[in-house]
Amino acid sequence: MPEATIVASLTSPSELRSLPAEVRCLEVRADLTGDLDPDGLRDRFPGELLYSLRSRAAGGAGEISGRERRERLLAAARRWDLIDLEAGDLEPEVLARIPASRRVVSWRGPAVDLGALRTLWERFAGVEARLVRLVPAAEDAMDALAPLRLLREIGRSDVLAFASGPAGWWSRLLAPRLGAPFVFAAAGEEAGEPTAARLVDDYGLPDLPPVEALYGIVGRSATAAKSLSPRLHNASYRALSLPALYLPFPARDFAAFWRELPEALSGLGFRLAGLTVTSPHKEEALEAVEHTSRLARRAGAANTLLRHNGSWRADTADAEGVLAVLAARGVDVAGQPVAVVGCGGAGRAAAAGLQQAGGKVTLVNRSLERGLYASSLLDLPFVPLAEFSAREFSLVVHATPLQHEVPFATDELRNGAVVVELVYGAAPTPLMTATAARGCVAIDGREVLLVEAQRQFQMMTGRPMPVDLAVRLIFGEGGAACASIPAQASSDGPSDLAATCA
């Protein structure tokens, strides 16, 4: 199986402790760390060492004179394996003292189109080097297409082109499959860049198995970049030997994204076969395709787009996520007073599913306009959040994006009330903590995620997601936080759940 060489960019010596064994090259950002001793680094890292003195123009820290920069680069050339050179460094004296086999010629700058990137490549093509690295910035997923198109066009194995920032993550994951020999990542939690550990854990690098179908998650930049979905789906593909890859696609404008991305990926040799859709794009996703499920139409939103026989279908797994975890806890919705707090796409889908299951659903929302719209769409009563009291309900579903604050007064919860959280993080949210402290039943958003991920995986691939693997990835090796493990989700509704975690 072919592999890509993972390069981790070090911004602090302390980051060495967190490097995965799969990293084969270490880029040391001397503009941030100062000139570290390469022999000391070799005692702690067995791979190649790349000296990088990034200029201010290329996003580096500090400003140094041209003379000092030249002296530091040439001094590093005596002891480091590879030296990063920018356009201003390509002088006869520097090139004469740094062999081509040890040069990494780099450009970093703003987002550019293919024509501008092609001009940059032609500027550097005459310089012999181990690697030419071209990295434009990306504010949106579409900005990351130009570097991939360049790789496809030139077909070189000594060129790496990808887009930086969360919106460009997906391009660095596809670049090796277009001939790029290296994948760069942050050694630690550098803002805006994926870590080397995440490239290994979430995307299976450095291995490059065949990819016949691409899937992904499209949403706001932060949502798509931080989602657990890539880890769950990609690990399941590997476990089942499926030739697929799941990527994050941060998009500001869904309509523009949808018009361009599927066709653009096809031009690069990849087939987009399915998408998870998150806020704020669920309503537009529903309108973007010809075929829709009945529940998605009723909710006025879709969180899943599926390609089948050349056409696309919109569906939603939001309702099943809620209904399945409730069934796992033995909660019978029929006849129960239910409040759904949050009238976005997820809240409306959950409300529609709960109403279909026999619940007496009331919609709650901070915004009056959105609440009244949802009430009209679903023909359900609506209460403004400012007037909401949890004491009237035996079940409350929280479906707003609020993750770090309690959205309503939990001291008003009934004894034995059930609260279902849709947002999730690495630990229980304040709402879950407050609900449990009240002695009520708190169902964490990670449990809902587990159901939805399985449902979407089944819809996209036709295969069940390995449940034990999914539980371990969401809750850790012990799975102690999990209250129930959903079995394979059916196409008609929630399936049996095995209560095996406690």
Side-chain angles (χ1 to χ4, degrees):
M1 181 184 296
E3 289 190 353
T5 298
I6 298 180
V7 185
S9 296
L10 191 80
T11 60
S12 169
S14 63
E15 295 169 346
L16 277 170
R17 295 191 296 268
S18 60
L19 286 183
E22 290 82 357
V23 173
R24 294 289 180 265
C25 181
L26 188 66
E27 178 185 35
V28 177
R29 289 281 307 279
D31 56 301
L32 296 172
T33 66
D35 290 339
L36 302 181
D37 176 17
D39 293 332
L41 291 172
R42 289 188 178 96
D43 291 338
R44 303 170 64 187
F45 178 77
E48 289 187 296
L49 297 177
L50 167 60
Y51 179 88
S52 179
L53 187 62
R54 196 175 297 178
S55 68
R56 177 70 64 84
E63 196 69 61
I64 60 174
S65 68
R67 178 177 179 179
E68 179 186 350
R69 178 178 176 84
R70 189 181 310 110
E71 289 174 350
R72 290 176 68 178
L73 289 172
L74 293 177
R78 294 193 290 269
R79 303 177 64 194
W80 292 71
D81 302 310
L82 299 166
I83 307 297
D84 188 65
L85 302 175
E86 298 176 7
D89 303 322
L90 305 179
E91 303 173 349
E93 178 188 2
V94 174
L95 296 178
R97 293 173 62 178
I98 303 177
S101 61
R102 295 170 59 203
R103 300 173 192 159
V104 174
V105 178
S106 298
W107 174 86
R108 286 179 171 271
V112 294
D113 62 17
L114 177 59
L117 204 58
R118 188 185 294 124
T119 299
L120 282 165
W121 157 242
E122 292 170 352
R123 177 183 179 186
F124 294 127
V127 180
E128 290 186 79
R130 168 83 171 273
L131 178 71
V132 174
R133 174 172 50 166
L134 304 173
V135 187
E139 296 297 328
D140 188 79
M142 298 300 93
D143 295 335
L145 284 168
L148 296 180
R149 285 169 167 157
L150 179 72
L151 289 176
R152 176 83 169 180
E153 179 180 292
I154 64 178
R156 297 277 295 255
S157 61
D158 58 350
V159 178
L160 169 60
F162 64 92
S164 63
W169 283 23
W170 68 276
S171 65
R172 81 174 71 206
L173 298 164
L174 286 186
R177 291 177 165 84
L178 294 171
F182 295 91
V183 180
F184 280 74
E189 295 293 337
E190 181 180 344
E193 302 295 334
T195 63
R198 190 161 187 188
L199 293 188
V200 174
D201 295 339
D202 290 14
Y203 303 100
L205 291 169
D207 292 342
L208 296 173
V211 172
E212 296 177 4
L214 284 182
Y215 302 93
I217 179 169
V218 57
R220 286 194 181 97
S221 180
T223 304
K226 295 178 180 179
S227 171
L228 284 175
S229 292
R231 180 172 298 186
L232 292 169
H233 285 257
N234 287 321
S236 297
Y237 300 151
R238 296 194 296 273
L240 299 174
S241 298
L242 296 178
L245 184 65
Y246 189 102
L247 301 170
F249 294 114
R252 292 173 297 188
D253 182 338
F254 182 84
F257 169 90
W258 189 247
R259 280 195 305 270
E260 186 171 1
L261 189 78
E263 183 177 351
L265 288 175
S266 178
L268 294 170
F270 303 102
R271 179 175 65 91
L272 184 65
L275 286 171
T276 300
V277 184
T278 68
S279 177
H281 302 317
K282 294 184 179 185
E283 292 163 352
E284 285 187 278
L286 182 71
E287 301 299 325
V289 301
E290 181 179 356
H291 305 289
T292 60
S293 73
R294 183 166 57 88
L295 185 58
R297 287 196 304 273
R298 176 155 171 72
N303 78 342
T304 310
L305 294 180
L306 306 166
R307 187 174 187 172
H308 181 65
N309 292 333
S311 63
W312 286 88
R313 172 184 170 85
D315 208 333
T316 181
D318 283 323
E320 183 164 347
V322 174
L323 292 172
V325 294
L326 290 171
R329 297 294 188 95
V331 178
D332 185 2
V333 175
Q336 297 295 319
V338 180
V340 176
V341 181
C343 290
R348 296 200 303 270
L354 289 162
Q355 182 189 33
Q356 186 174 302
K360 299 177 180 178
V361 181
T362 296
L363 300 170
V364 182
N365 201 67
R366 186 187 304 276
S367 163
L368 187 63
E369 180 180 1
R370 174 159 286 228
L372 291 174
Y373 167 74
S375 176
S376 174
L377 185 68
L378 297 171
D379 192 22
L380 290 172
F382 164 69
V383 174
L385 181 60
E387 300 173 16
F388 171 65
S389 173
R391 68 170 57 92
E392 300 175 23
F393 302 93
S394 58
L395 169 62
V396 181
V397 177
H398 175 226
T400 82
L402 295 177
Q403 184 176 335
H404 304 295
E405 59 185 272
V406 178
F408 57 86
T410 55
D411 58 357
E412 296 182 347
L413 285 167
R414 293 181 179 182
N415 291 334
V418 178
V419 178
V420 180
E421 177 76 278
L422 297 194
V423 297
Y424 66 87
T429 63
L431 174 60
M432 291 289 93
T433 302
T435 298
R438 175 82 173 133
C440 297
V441 178
I443 300 181
D444 193 281
R446 290 171 292 176
E447 295 182 50
V448 181
L449 169 68
L450 180 58
V451 177
E452 292 194 13
Q454 286 184 91
R455 177 75 179 104
Q456 290 180 325
F457 189 89
Q458 176 83 35
M459 295 162 75
M460 291 176 178
T461 68
R463 300 280 297 276
M465 176 180 280
V467 179
D468 291 344
L469 173 62
V471 170
R472 187 166 65 251
L473 292 174
I474 294 176
F475 298 103
E477 289 296 329
C482 177
S484 56
I485 303 179
Q488 176 181 344
S490 73
S491 60
D492 300 319
S495 57
D496 294 336
L497 303 176
T500 60
C501 294

